[in-house]
Amino acid sequence: MENKIADLEIKMINEVAGNFSRHPSQLNQLMEADAEIIDLKNKNIDYLVVKTDGLHEEISEKLYEDPFLIGWMSVTATLSDLAAVAAEPLGLLLSLQLTKNTNRKWLGAFKKGINTACSFYGVNVLGGDTNLDSVFSVSTTGIGTITDTRPLLRKPLLPGELLYATGKLGIGNAYAYFRFFNSSVNVNYQPVARLTESTFIKKYATACIDTSDGFFPALSVLSTINRVGIKITTPLQRLLDKTTLNVYQYSGLPAWMFLAGPHGEYELLFSIPPAMRNRFEQACTDWEWEPILIGEITEGDSVQFSSEEMEIQCSPSVIANLFTESNGDIQCYFENLTRQHKLWSQQ
Amino acid sequence: MENKIADLEIKMINEVAGNFSRHPSQLNQLMEADAEIIDLKNKNIDYLVVKTDGLHEEISEKLYEDPFLIGWMSVTATLSDLAAVAAEPLGLLLSLQLTKNTNRKWLGAFKKGINTACSFYGVNVLGGDTNLDSVFSVSTTGIGTITDTRPLLRKPLLPGELLYATGKLGIGNAYAYFRFFNSSVNVNYQPVARLTESTFIKKYATACIDTSDGFFPALSVLSTINRVGIKITTPLQRLLDKTTLNVYQYSGLPAWMFLAGPHGEYELLFSIPPAMRNRFEQACTDWEWEPILIGEITEGDSVQFSSEEMEIQCSPSVIANLFTESNGDIQCYFENLTRQHKLWSQQ
C-alpha cells in the first residue's frame, strides 16, 4: 500500500504553484521553507510597501468569468496600488480559494493569466496558499520597495493644484455595462497597472490614487481625506477612452455614468502644483507622453463637472454612494444612477 | 440630499479596520495611501520574509466557530510560519471575506481575537481588504525581517541529527476530536506561535518546520524534501500534552492518531546536529526551558515509532495522506485512521 501513495498534498501544491517563475533573490524553492525568504542584503531600501487586494465580488457577481482575465486582474489590481504609491514591485503572494469543481483547464487558463501578467510587468509570484471554498476567489498581496525617492500618498492636495490622469477613463464601467446590460457592445477589458508612468510622475506629483474603484469614487476619497473640492475643467465626454466613447454613443447614457461605477480602469490620478506645471508638461513632451488634464483642486468639498449640456455641482460622495447604497445589486444601482440623473436634470 | 449622506464606504472600512493599532514606522494612516508604507530607513535588513495563510476549511467545516478563536488563529497561524524561518514579525495584512449576515457583535469578538493576539505578540495590522462573500473567511499575510542571522529552512536535515519540538503535541487533533466527535471532553485550544523560542533555537538549529498542519504531516514534508527517514525514540504517549493525554485516555484511541491529523499545535520541529547537542541542551537549561526530544534523523525514507505496544515503520506520507484521501470528509478520515490502525495491528 505504501509504495503506491505519493504525497498528494505536495502534488496539489505543485499543480497550482509549480510553474510560476521565481524571484532571483528568493532563497527558498517551493516547499523548502515555512515562509518565503527574499535576500535583501546590500539593498538599501527606504520603504517597504505592502498591499492585499481580493477579487471576490467581481467573480461571484460574474463581472469576471474568463479565467485568464481573473488571473490577469489578480496581478494588475495589486500592482496598480504599488504604482500609486510609487513603489517598485518585489513580488506577489496569492491566496487561492478553489472549489471542488475547479477543473484543470480552467485553472490552466487562470495561471496563464497570472503568468502573462507577471512577465508583462517583470514580477514574480513569491508564494501562496490554496484553500477549498464554496466559490472561487483570489486575494493577492503585493510587496514593493521604494528607494531614493519619497512615497506618493493620497495627500497633500491643495486648492490650485492641477489634477491629471495617466490615461483616458471609463473602460471599467463600459465593461460592466457590456457584461450586465448589453452583450452586443463587446468591450475588451484588460487594464494595465501604470508602473511605468508611476516612475515618471513620482518626480512631479504631490498626491496620487488609482481609479481601481472608479473615477468619481477616487475623487470622493481625495476630497474627504484632503478636505478639498475638485473642478473638472475638461468636459466628461472628452475624458472617455475610445471604446467607452463608442459604448457611450451607442447606449445613449450620460457620460458621468461611465465614470461613476466602482469598477475602474486602473489609471492613476495625480496632482501637480501650478508652479510645477510647465516643467511637468515639458517633461511629458520630452518623454513623448500625454497625460489627461482632469481639472483643478478647489476650496470646499464639492465636485463640479459638465456632462453633456448639464453643469453639475455636488459632493463626490453622492456619486460614490449610489453604488454603496444599492448593496451590490446591479439593477438597483442602475436605478439609482437614473434617479440621480433625473434629479440633476430637473434642477 | 447631499448633506445627509456620509461616505458609507469609508465608514465601513473604519468599522472593520478602525481600531487596530498601527505600526510606529508606518507612514500612512488609514485611507491615506493606496498601499501600506513602512519606513525602513537606517534598518539594515538582510532578508524579507513573507507568508500568506488562510482560514477557510477550518471555518466552513465548523472546526472554528468562536469568532475570538478565529481572530486569534488568523494572527497565530501566520506568525508561526515566520517563527519557523526565524524571522521577526513586522506586521500583518488581513483579507477579510464578510458575509451579509456578519453581525457587529460577532465582528467585534473576531477583532478582539486579532487585537488580543497582536498585543500578545507585539505585532501590528498594517492594512487589509474587505470583501463580501457567501461564507466568512480570512487570509492573513505576515511580513517579517531577518537581520544578522541566517533564515531557517526545512532543510538541510542529515542522518544522525536530533529532532526536537518546542512543546508537547496533540492539542490540535484533540480539539478536532472534541469538536467533531465528542463534545463532552471539552478541550481549550488557543495555541501560541513560538516566536520567543524561535529567537533561541535559531542559534543552534539546522532545519525547522512548524506543526500547523499536524506532526506526522510535518515529518512527511521533512522526509520528502530531505530524502531522509525519522526514528521517533520517545514513545508517542510521552509526546502528548496534558490535555491531549486526558483525551487520549478517555477516548481509548491510539496515541499516533492524535499526531496524525492536519490540525496542528503550532509547535516548531527543529534539528540539532549531534556535535551541537551538549551545547544546545546546556543553553536550554540555562534558559530554564526544556524542548521535547522527538528522535533522530535516519537514512531511508520511513518513520519509525511506537504507539502503545506497537512498533510501526512506514512512509510518513502514508499517515499524512489518510486525510488528503478523505477529501476533507471528517467521518471518512476517521474511518481511514481506524483502517490503518487495524492494518498495523494485524502485521
Side-chain angles (χ1 to χ4, degrees):
Chain A
M1 185 177 176
E2 295 176 16
N3 288 336
K4 84 174 171 63
I5 299 175
D7 195 321
L8 300 174
E9 179 83 12
I10 293 177
K11 260 193 164 170
M12 198 181 88
I13 291 174
N14 276 311
E15 172 77 26
V16 174
N19 70 347
F20 295 131
S21 64
R22 291 185 87 74
H23 193 284
S25 300
Q26 185 159 3
L27 202 71
N28 59 301
Q29 289 299 311
L30 207 61
M31 296 288 298
E32 284 185 353
D34 272 24
E36 315 304 332
I37 305 161
I38 318 297
D39 194 333
L40 291 187
K41 286 196 292 287
N42 309 317
K43 305 217 167 118
N44 289 315
I45 288 163
D46 290 338
Y47 300 95
L48 180 70
V49 173
V50 291
K51 175 66 187 230
T52 285
D53 203 14
L55 297 182
H56 295 261
E57 294 90 342
E58 293 88 344
I59 297 169
S60 62
E61 300 290 338
K62 297 191 190 300
L63 178 59
Y64 299 167
E65 268 189 317
D66 172 16
F68 181 91
L69 178 64
I70 296 173
W72 176 272
M73 290 310 297
S74 61
V75 175
T76 295
T78 303
L79 292 184
S80 178
D81 284 323
L82 299 191
V85 301
E88 191 184 336
L90 189 65
L92 302 169
L93 293 163
L94 297 174
S95 173
L96 289 187
Q97 282 63 252
L98 305 180
T99 71
K100 288 187 178 174
N101 302 322
T102 308
N103 68 52
R104 197 167 284 201
K105 194 182 157 195
W106 196 97
L107 199 60
F110 168 72
K111 283 163 69 179
K112 197 180 170 197
I114 289 178
N115 278 327
T116 306
C118 280
S119 39
F120 179 80
Y121 298 114
V123 166
N124 299 96
V125 174
L126 302 171
D129 183 37
T130 307
N131 302 284
L132 215 56
D133 224 325
S134 53
V135 282
F136 180 90
S137 69
V138 50
S139 286
T140 308
T141 301
I143 316 284
T145 59
I146 298 176
T147 304
D148 296 331
T149 57
R150 66 196 157 68
L152 280 175
L153 275 70
R154 292 168 174 172
K155 62 167 204 175
L157 203 55
L158 297 171
E161 290 182 341
L162 297 149
L163 192 69
Y164 292 86
T166 46
K168 290 202 168 181
L169 306 164
I171 190 80
N173 287 304
Y175 183 72
Y177 177 75
F178 156 63
R179 292 285 302 169
F180 294 135
F181 295 103
N182 193 336
S183 61
S184 69
V185 295
N186 200 10
V187 175
N188 285 317
Y189 182 72
Q190 195 178 316
V192 169
R194 296 299 179 196
L195 288 161
T196 310
E197 291 77 0
S198 163
T199 62
F200 176 79
I201 65 171
K202 72 182 178 187
K203 287 170 269 182
Y204 309 94
T206 51
C208 188
I209 188 170
D210 81 352
T211 66
S212 57
D213 294 329
F215 172 72
F216 276 113
L219 294 188
S220 176
V221 169
L222 290 179
S223 166
T224 304
I225 290 173
N226 293 284
R227 299 167 186 274
V228 293
I230 294 144
K231 182 177 178 166
I232 303 178
T233 49
T234 307
L236 293 197
Q237 301 90 301
R238 283 176 46 202
L239 295 180
L240 303 181
D241 65 88
K242 217 172 138 187
T243 305
T244 305
L245 205 56
N246 280 338
V247 179
Y248 160 72
Q249 283 156 348
Y250 180 91
S251 69
L253 294 170
W256 72 269
M257 287 190 187
F258 289 94
L259 301 168
H263 187 235
E265 49 284 284
Y266 294 87
E267 298 296 341
L268 302 178
L269 297 181
F270 59 97
S271 56
I272 299 287
M276 184 76 88
R277 179 176 188 166
N278 288 344
R279 227 184 98 202
F280 170 68
E281 294 195 342
Q282 184 57 52
C284 290
T285 308
D286 295 346
W287 203 48
E288 297 178 357
W289 177 62
E290 198 178 347
I292 312 300
L293 180 66
I294 302 289
E296 71 175 70
I297 309 305
T298 62
E299 305 276 355
D301 57 5
S302 66
V303 62
Q304 300 165 59
F305 59 95
S306 66
S307 181
E308 294 75 42
E309 64 281 11
M310 289 198 318
E311 292 290 331
I312 296 160
Q313 178 165 357
C314 68
S315 162
S317 67
V318 166
I319 302 176
N321 286 346
L322 293 174
F323 182 75
T324 325
E325 287 162 2
S326 72
N327 279 318
D329 179 322
I330 303 299
Q331 205 60 49
C332 169
Y333 176 51
F334 193 70
E335 285 159 22
N336 285 351
L337 287 167
T338 311
R339 195 181 54 243
Q340 184 61 58
H341 192 71
K342 255 189 205 153
L343 268 172
W344 282 332
S345 308
Q346 290 159 359
Q347 273 171 5
Chain B
M1 184 177 174
E2 298 176 15
N3 288 335
K4 83 173 171 64
I5 299 176
D7 194 321
L8 299 175
E9 178 83 12
I10 291 176
K11 259 193 166 170
M12 198 181 88
I13 290 175
N14 275 310
E15 171 78 25
V16 175
N19 69 347
F20 295 130
S21 65
R22 291 185 87 73
H23 194 283
S25 299
Q26 184 160 4
L27 200 74
N28 59 299
Q29 290 298 311
L30 207 61
M31 296 287 301
E32 284 185 353
D34 272 23
E36 315 306 332
I37 304 162
I38 319 298
D39 194 333
L40 292 188
K41 285 195 293 288
N42 308 319
K43 305 218 167 118
N44 289 315
I45 288 162
D46 290 338
Y47 300 95
L48 180 70
V49 173
V50 291
K51 175 68 187 228
T52 284
D53 203 14
L55 297 181
H56 295 261
E57 295 89 342
E58 295 87 344
I59 297 168
S60 61
E61 301 290 337
K62 297 191 189 301
L63 177 60
Y64 300 165
E65 268 189 318
D66 172 17
F68 181 91
L69 178 64
I70 296 174
W72 176 272
M73 291 310 297
S74 61
V75 174
T76 295
T78 303
L79 292 184
S80 178
D81 284 323
L82 299 191
V85 301
E88 191 184 335
L90 189 67
L92 302 169
L93 293 163
L94 298 173
S95 172
L96 289 186
Q97 282 65 251
L98 305 179
T99 72
K100 287 187 177 175
N101 302 323
T102 308
N103 68 52
R104 196 166 284 201
K105 193 182 159 197
W106 196 97
L107 199 60
F110 167 73
K111 283 163 69 177
K112 196 178 171 199
I114 288 178
N115 278 327
T116 306
C118 279
S119 36
F120 179 81
Y121 298 114
V123 165
N124 298 97
V125 174
L126 302 171
D129 182 39
T130 306
N131 302 285
L132 215 55
D133 225 326
S134 54
V135 283
F136 181 89
S137 69
V138 51
S139 287
T140 308
T141 300
I143 316 283
T145 58
I146 298 176
T147 304
D148 295 331
T149 56
R150 67 197 155 70
L152 280 174
L153 274 70
R154 293 169 175 171
K155 61 166 206 176
L157 204 55
L158 297 170
E161 289 181 344
L162 297 149
L163 192 69
Y164 292 86
T166 46
K168 291 202 168 182
L169 306 164
I171 190 80
N173 288 305
Y175 183 71
Y177 177 75
F178 157 63
R179 293 286 300 168
F180 293 134
F181 294 103
N182 193 336
S183 63
S184 69
V185 296
N186 202 9
V187 175
N188 285 317
Y189 182 72
Q190 195 178 316
V192 169
R194 295 302 179 195
L195 287 161
T196 310
E197 292 77 1
S198 163
T199 63
F200 176 78
I201 65 170
K202 71 182 178 187
K203 287 171 268 180
Y204 309 95
T206 51
C208 188
I209 188 170
D210 81 352
T211 65
S212 57
D213 294 330
F215 172 71
F216 276 113
L219 294 188
S220 175
V221 169
L222 290 179
S223 166
T224 304
I225 289 173
N226 293 284
R227 299 167 187 273
V228 293
I230 293 145
K231 183 177 177 165
I232 303 179
T233 50
T234 306
L236 292 196
Q237 299 90 302
R238 284 175 45 202
L239 296 180
L240 302 181
D241 66 88
K242 216 172 139 185
T243 305
T244 305
L245 206 56
N246 280 338
V247 179
Y248 160 71
Q249 283 156 350
Y250 180 90
S251 69
L253 294 171
W256 73 269
M257 286 190 188
F258 289 94
L259 302 168
H263 187 235
E265 49 283 286
Y266 293 86
E267 298 295 343
L268 302 178
L269 297 182
F270 58 97
S271 56
I272 299 287
M276 185 75 90
R277 180 176 187 165
N278 287 343
R279 226 184 100 201
F280 170 67
E281 293 195 342
Q282 184 57 52
C284 289
T285 309
D286 295 347
W287 204 47
E288 296 179 359
W289 178 61
E290 198 178 347
I292 312 300
L293 181 65
I294 302 290
E296 71 176 69
I297 308 307
T298 62
E299 304 275 356
D301 57 5
S302 66
V303 62
Q304 300 164 59
F305 59 94
S306 66
S307 181
E308 296 73 41
E309 64 282 10
M310 289 199 315
E311 294 291 331
I312 295 160
Q313 179 166 356
C314 68
S315 163
S317 67
V318 166
I319 303 177
N321 285 347
L322 293 173
F323 182 73
T324 325
E325 287 162 2
S326 71
N327 279 317
D329 179 324
I330 303 298
Q331 206 59 50
C332 169
Y333 176 52
F334 193 70
E335 285 160 21
N336 285 351
L337 287 167
T338 311
R339 197 182 54 243
Q340 184 62 57
H341 192 70
K342 256 191 205 153
L343 268 173
W344 282 333
S345 309
Q346 290 160 358
Q347 273 170 5

